[in-house]
Amino acid sequence: MALGQKLMMRQSQSLVMTPQLLQAIKLLQLSTTELQAFVETELERNPLLERDSRDDEGPIAPDAGPMEPARAEATPGDWASEDMPADRATLERETGTSFENAFPDEAVVTQDGPQAESAYWNLSGGSGRGPSLDDDDPNLEAYIAAGNTLHEHLASQLGCCDTDDLTRLIAGQIIDQIDQTGYLLESLESLAERLGVPLRRCEIALEVVHGFSPTGVGARNLAECLRLQLRERDRLDPAMDAFISHLDLLAKREFAALRRACGVDEDDLADMIAEIRRLDPKPGLIFGSSMIDAIVPDVHVRPASDGGWQVELNSDALPRVVANRSFYARVSRNPDKAARSFVDEHWTNANWIVRSLEQRARTILKVATEIVRQQDAFFTYGVAHLRPLNLKIIADAVQLHESTISRVTANKYMATPRGLFEMKYFFSTAIAASDGGASVSAEAVRFRIKQLIDAEEAQSILSDDAIVDKLREMGIDIARRTVAKYREGLGIASSSIRRREKLAAMPRAKAG
């Protein structure tokens, strides 16, 4: 078979992912917080991109320095008149007041020089010209104490602990193995083998750590954590110790077996359960807390005057930037070729960012408007009337690709009269109707299951099969395993556990 070369023409279609297209896709799927961080980075990096302040207040005039204080007209005999004696002896004789401590021998000197040279004097030690952002003035934020971590808090207590060096070394290793919830991750046997020390020395070091605050830190399991807290409150009696040893019965709501194990009656058991609920099962989390950004809605939905719904973008969440055309016109005249290339590149990037942000806002508004139109019954009547909805329905309605709809609805939130919802909340699978009618969304079925369980009595707890029958009476055809999956997803216990819990709460409720 002979091999040869030849030319062929072939027609094909392909999608070229330009950097600008990649940037537009990236901006489309960013949340509000991530978008603001991206814009801040671009504002610092691109000199041709600036904030759009056309709707803001006018620019503040530059500071012209401290204004001279107005001088009042001195009246005859006024204490502020210019003919007031300047020497100390005459002043004390005429006013009858001693100024012994009013004029110290040493001149008061501020950071910028003598006090007399400044028009104003402040107690902060600054320049005397009022508030300033100069580096010479003190930065109050630098004096704000940073929050300690759990490990730093425990290490500081270990440094003040009166113990021998070996115990302090082992305790330091134990602290390093404590997670953010306050529990010890490594076993003492493994720690002793790793450090090459007797197991008893590790137990002594662990007892030292158990004496640190917060109480319960360094525990190896939940039972030990609760015991440490009860011992500190002097509540670890034999009955409570037996209660802690049978936490599995408490989790299963087997209160009768738990009463027999502890040797107490119903009232004492209820008091013990209340005591346990006041304890902290994860004591280390008080040091692991961090600032959580509040959710900023991207879209507002409000009732319209014609009975419909008005959908509008949240203008406060949209970063407003523009490409500075006048600055570009000035700097583009630079004869240096490298400088012109730098300016042209950043000018193109600035324009693409502005266009991408505008396209992102239009796409979000278009998709949100179609979601509100599709789920009009939800906004009017509630969750029970939420319709089944998928990405394809919205994509066909707004003539966009399903992947674009997925990016638009990711990490985007909608503020409605019924609360704040993520846009993906309105997309739900369909559950068939038992009578052959319109299908129901899975979210509406979850809502109905929760309603049925909340309304049940202690003597008539609904099993999963009974819930299936109730839903079929409502026209919803659903399998038992699906009901069990939805119930577990809602965090609702099984019927047997709910029955034991409600029966145990009945005498307590009557006594109250």
Side-chain angles (χ1 to χ4, degrees), residues 309 375-386 418 447-448 451:
W309 299 96
Q375 300 290 0
D376 178 78
F378 164 81
F379 295 100
T380 306
Y381 302 107
V383 182
H385 298 269
L386 194 66
R418 295 192 176 275
F447 178 74
R448 293 181 187 275
Q451 278 187 325

Side-chain angles (χ1 to χ4, degrees), residues 393-458:
I393 296 176
I394 302 296
D396 294 341
V398 298
Q399 297 181 354
L400 293 173
H401 196 269
E402 293 181 31
S403 62
T404 303
I405 305 300
S406 178
R407 293 187 180 94
V408 169
T409 55
N411 301 318
K412 310 296 189 304
Y413 293 87
M414 184 182 298
T416 72
R418 295 192 176 275
L420 183 66
F421 298 92
E422 188 178 7
M423 287 191 183
K424 284 190 177 295
Y425 172 83
F426 300 99
F427 296 91
S428 180
T429 56
I431 304 296
S434 58
D435 55 357
S439 57
V440 185
S441 72
E443 190 63 33
V445 174
R446 292 189 187 93
F447 178 74
R448 293 181 187 275
I449 292 174
K450 189 175 185 305
Q451 278 187 325
L452 291 173
I453 294 177
D454 290 342
E456 63 187 5
E457 298 293 337

Side-chain angles (χ1 to χ4, degrees), residues 44-94:
E44 295 179 1
R45 189 181 67 87
N46 196 335
L48 298 176
L49 191 68
E50 64 178 13
R51 299 184 189 276
D52 185 5
S53 58
R54 287 173 294 183
D55 296 335
D56 299 336
E57 298 179 357
I60 301 176
D63 188 8
M67 296 178 59
E68 291 294 332
R71 292 180 176 271
E73 273 311 312
T75 58
D78 191 2
W79 66 272
S81 59
E82 295 183 357
D83 57 350
M84 186 175 182
D87 59 296
R88 173 180 171 181
T90 307
L91 191 61
E92 289 182 349
R93 184 175 63 255
E94 293 185 359

Side-chain angles (χ1 to χ4, degrees), residues 294-328:
I295 295 178
V296 179
D298 299 85
V299 178
H300 288 288
V301 179
R302 298 183 176 90
S305 57
D306 57 355
W309 299 96
Q310 179 181 358
V311 183
E312 58 185 21
L313 291 172
N314 183 10
S315 58
D316 296 334
L318 295 176
R320 294 176 298 178
V321 293
V322 294
N324 195 333
R325 185 180 300 274
S326 60
F327 181 62
Y328 170 72

Side-chain angles (χ1 to χ4, degrees), residues 322-390:
V322 294
N324 195 333
R325 185 180 300 274
S326 60
F327 181 62
Y328 170 72
R330 293 198 305 269
V331 298
S332 60
R333 303 191 188 99
N334 196 311
D336 188 5
K337 184 177 180 180
R340 287 200 309 271
S341 176
F342 174 83
V343 171
D344 292 340
E345 178 184 355
H346 284 74
W347 171 252
T348 303
N349 187 39
N351 280 286
W352 268 107
I353 290 176
V354 173
R355 294 175 187 174
S356 299
L357 290 176
E358 293 176 353
Q359 181 65 29
R360 177 183 182 273
R362 287 195 297 267
T363 306
I364 291 176
L365 182 60
K366 183 189 299 184
V367 173
T369 303
E370 183 60 26
I371 290 176
V372 172
R373 192 184 70 83
Q374 295 283 346
Q375 300 290 0
D376 178 78
F378 164 81
F379 295 100
T380 306
Y381 302 107
V383 182
H385 298 269
L386 194 66
R387 292 180 51 191
L389 187 65
N390 55 38

Side-chain angles (χ1 to χ4, degrees), residues 205-226:
L206 182 59
E207 292 177 1
V208 172
V209 176
H210 284 169
F212 295 164
S213 67
T215 306
V217 70
R220 288 161 287 186
N221 49 57
L222 177 60
E224 186 176 23
C225 179
L226 298 180

Side-chain angles (χ1 to χ4, degrees), residues 16-27 38 345 348-349 352-353 356:
V16 179
M17 299 291 287
T18 63
Q20 291 80 10
L21 181 58
L22 290 173
Q23 183 184 73
I25 294 175
K26 176 184 176 182
L27 293 182
F38 170 81
E345 178 184 355
T348 303
N349 187 39
W352 268 107
I353 290 176
S356 299

